[in-house]
Amino acid sequence: MSPLGRERHPRYGTREGVIVGQGSPSSWRVKFDDRKTIQAIHQDYLERVPGQAPRFDTSEPWSRWRDDPPATP
């Protein structure tokens, strides 16, 4: 969760998870590490964990961050 996400949703705290898809045009579907269900979270509430390699397939267009360039074959 980003600082804005923690401010708006303090119960989420410093949770980490994996992006599993895109929700609406401004949200991502996230599987938090400590949860069984998938949650749709606004993109402004999320941030990357520094030094952490992606744990998802970056070849799929929906599985990359909005600012990333498209994957090249």
Side-chain angles (χ1 to χ4, degrees):
M1 297 295 290
S2 70
L4 177 62
R6 288 190 300 271
E7 178 185 326
R8 300 260 174 101
H9 299 284
R11 290 185 307 150
Y12 287 174
T14 57
R15 287 193 177 136
E16 293 182 12
V18 178
I19 292 180
V20 296
Q22 187 170 3
S24 69
S26 62
S27 71
W28 291 100
R29 294 174 49 78
V30 179
K31 165 64 174 78
F32 287 109
D33 294 342
D34 60 342
R35 299 290 174 144
K36 292 181 181 179
T37 59
I38 294 171
Q39 179 75 37
I41 304 289
H42 191 276
Q43 65 189 9
D44 292 343
Y45 297 167
L46 300 173
E47 69 180 358
R48 286 186 185 208
V49 176
Q52 188 97 6
R55 294 183 285 171
F56 51 83
D57 181 5
T58 58
S59 66
E60 293 293 323
W62 54 263
S63 65
R64 58 178 209 269
W65 290 83
R66 291 190 194 285
D67 298 332
D68 285 350
T72 55

